[in-house]
Amino acid sequence: MRALRILLIIAVVLGGVFVAVDRAAVYFAESEAEDRVTFGEAEAGSTDVSIKGFPFLTQVTGRELDRVDVTVKDVRADAAGRTVRISEIRAQLREVTLGAGYTSATASRATGTAVISYAALTEAADEGVTVAYGGDGKVKVTGSVQIPLLGKALTRSVLSTVTLVDGDTVKVHADEVPGEGIPGLEDLVRKKTDFERGIGGLPEGLELEKIEVAPGGLEISMSGADIHLAG
């Protein structure tokens, strides 16, 4: 019995040591990955990596990680000469294969959400236009329109619908505009309030699928396959 107790104690101690070593290896790998991970051609402010699954050491030995969660903040995506700032991208990566020397990684499958704040959407709009949450799945767009006949500018706000076009473009379109029906006035207002902005620079294979208007900003769901992350 005494020998059995000793064996049990040794097993527990060794198990604890293995867990500690495994967790330490995870923390080190996450730190290294945060410096190496690139998310397409877009410029990012910061990256946070969380490697899931246990044990980590057996996964890394086999060069395939079950799941890796990546949060990228302040992503600046260029499209058609305009910059759209994505406040945050949260991605869940599955079956991540590590390349030779652990300098590259490719995710077999990926899902995630990109968030564009209203401040960032205002930056992407035309000069003098502001965008805010309008409630009930709409955005409120406010802009100043110069009326030639009146010889002055009028500031108007409209509720607009936001849609995703061709899988890579955010479209903002006013449901109704003040003075609709007056010749020329609607076009003047819409030139300010209606706009489209492409989202470029994201990893190849990652597709934007659906957009929702939320109080904190536009939330765009995405998914893809064979996503190249680093190297």
Side-chain angles (χ1 to χ4, degrees):
M1 288 295 293
R2 183 171 181 274
L4 180 59
R5 284 198 298 270
I6 292 174
L7 287 175
L8 289 174
I9 292 172
I10 292 174
V12 171
V13 170
L14 290 178
V17 170
F18 175 77
V19 171
V21 171
D22 189 81
R23 295 301 89 189
V26 168
Y27 298 144
F28 175 77
E30 290 174 343
S31 178
E32 287 292 305
E34 289 170 359
D35 294 333
R36 295 185 181 184
V37 167
T38 58
F39 214 72
E41 299 176 357
E43 181 182 346
S46 65
T47 304
D48 180 76
V49 175
S50 178
I51 300 173
K52 307 297 182 180
F54 179 83
F56 165 72
L57 291 174
T58 57
Q59 294 184 71
V60 76
T61 300
R63 293 186 181 278
E64 184 172 298
L65 306 178
D66 295 336
R67 172 181 165 183
V68 179
D69 290 353
V70 177
T71 300
V72 187
K73 295 187 177 182
D74 196 24
V75 180
R76 296 185 177 274
D78 291 324
R82 298 294 295 261
T83 298
V84 178
R85 181 165 56 86
I86 302 174
S87 307
E88 183 177 80
I89 294 178
R90 301 184 296 269
Q92 296 79 47
L93 314 173
R94 306 281 183 173
E95 300 173 11
V96 179
T97 302
L98 305 175
Y102 304 101
T103 58
S104 63
T106 302
S108 176
R109 295 176 290 117
T111 57
T113 302
V115 179
I116 301 177
S117 69
Y118 295 115
L121 198 57
T122 295
E123 292 175 6
D126 289 341
E127 185 177 354
V129 173
T130 61
V131 184
Y133 181 59
D136 196 26
K138 304 289 184 179
V139 297
K140 183 173 74 172
V141 183
T142 303
S144 182
V145 181
Q146 187 71 34
I147 308 298
L149 294 178
L150 299 179
K152 64 178 182 179
L154 297 178
T155 299
R156 292 290 183 265
S157 295
V158 297
L159 288 178
S160 301
T161 297
V162 183
T163 55
L164 192 61
V165 181
D166 297 329
D168 61 1
T169 301
V170 174
K171 179 179 179 180
V172 179
H173 182 79
D175 296 344
E176 296 180 358
V177 298
E180 195 169 16
I182 299 175
L185 182 57
E186 181 178 354
D187 288 342
L188 286 173
V189 174
R190 288 194 179 278
K191 282 181 180 180
K192 275 289 185 179
T193 61
D194 292 5
F195 60 93
E196 296 183 8
R197 293 292 181 267
I199 306 295
L202 298 181
E204 184 177 350
L206 194 62
E207 297 182 357
L208 306 182
E209 297 180 324
K210 182 182 178 182
I211 190 167
E212 292 187 7
V213 178
L218 304 183
E219 298 183 355
I220 307 174
S221 59
M222 59 181 68
S223 67
D226 298 326
I227 309 300
H228 193 61
L229 298 167

